[in-house]
Amino acid sequence: MTRFHYVIASLVVISAVSYILNIFSRLNDHEFIMRSFHEHGNAAVSATTNTRRNLVASKNYATAILETDDYKPGEFCPICRYSDDIVCSGRVEFLMERYSIPRSEAMENKEMLSRCGTPTIVHRVHDEEHEPSVILHAGPHKTGTTALQAFIYDLMYANHTLFLEDNLRVPTYDELPGVFGKEGVGLNLPHCCLPGFKEDGGLMNVGMCGPMRKAFPTFVQDAYNKSQNILIVAEDFDRAKLDFDRLRFYLQPYKKIKVAVTYRRLHDWLPSWYNQIVDAYTITYAKGEDKYPSFVEWLDANYDEFLDAHGIRVADRY
């Protein structure tokens, strides 16, 4: 069995665990739901939404201009980049504060209008059978996701055409840049999809996400027009504050989004988190700067927070 077959086997095991969990839903109070992003919110890109496609003649295939209920070409785009260091919504807030003007007036600023219109995305048209997919492995933490990330990127760095042979694109650092590199490249996407960036617990601010806002959409559109599937593995997709509208915006024009979430039994998963966290503060406890918490004390203080990052809750959000 080749190394690539091990990757496929891993994804099959994940899918099997998800299926078994669905059958034995009595193991948890929440329904284990695996849904497409595009069933989430009003900007859904699906056959049931008000999506208009303007077909354009092409030499080899038909193309379309993507237009959804929320992302119409030319209209104000809060998530688009005003510059490398600021997004359009941030620029609006600055103008409102600097000149004491209402939001509507700030959005009518000539510079805003020229830079912050939703870009026109011209893309290839696929029939349903051949529509490519984005596959997101959303962790969560403490389920072996980091090992899977390392395994995939080690394979890719050793043979950069390996996944392409199966029509699969995995973004490189140049295609998904940020503070995370090597096997952690995929983490740059969820950290740039937190509404408040560092304010919401991320490790990247709006300026650090500037290169990603330019490079990643180019990568996504290129892969889509080549009918390639995309695989992104990042345990930080388990963040409860993730902005799904922003994430969906970055994944345009893909319409099929498949999400894999690993289930680990709660009574096994929580102690694993506890061991990692208390080990990280060993020096602090040794200096007497903080009290070493028992597992019961830690659980009492953090249960609700960590429950939101458990596989059941993560899958339900998607």
Side-chain angles (χ1 to χ4, degrees), residues 74-144:
E75 292 191 358
F76 179 74
C77 172
I79 344 173
C80 292
R81 59 191 192 96
Y82 179 82
S83 67
D84 285 345
D85 296 326
I86 193 169
V87 289
C88 294
S89 58
R91 180 64 178 175
V92 168
E93 299 296 333
F94 169 78
L95 291 176
M96 291 172 60
E97 183 178 347
R98 177 69 175 80
Y99 298 106
S100 300
I101 58 176
R103 181 177 299 275
S104 58
E105 186 176 341
M107 290 172 62
E108 292 171 0
N109 177 276
K110 289 184 178 180
E111 259 193 317
M112 292 294 299
L113 292 175
S114 65
R115 297 191 188 190
C116 293
T118 302
T120 298
I121 300 178
V122 179
H123 63 87
R124 183 173 180 175
V125 175
H126 302 282
D127 57 45
E128 186 174 355
E129 182 182 355
H130 298 97
E131 183 75 36
S133 303
V134 173
I135 304 163
L136 295 180
H137 189 296
H141 286 73
K142 310 308 297 176
T143 59

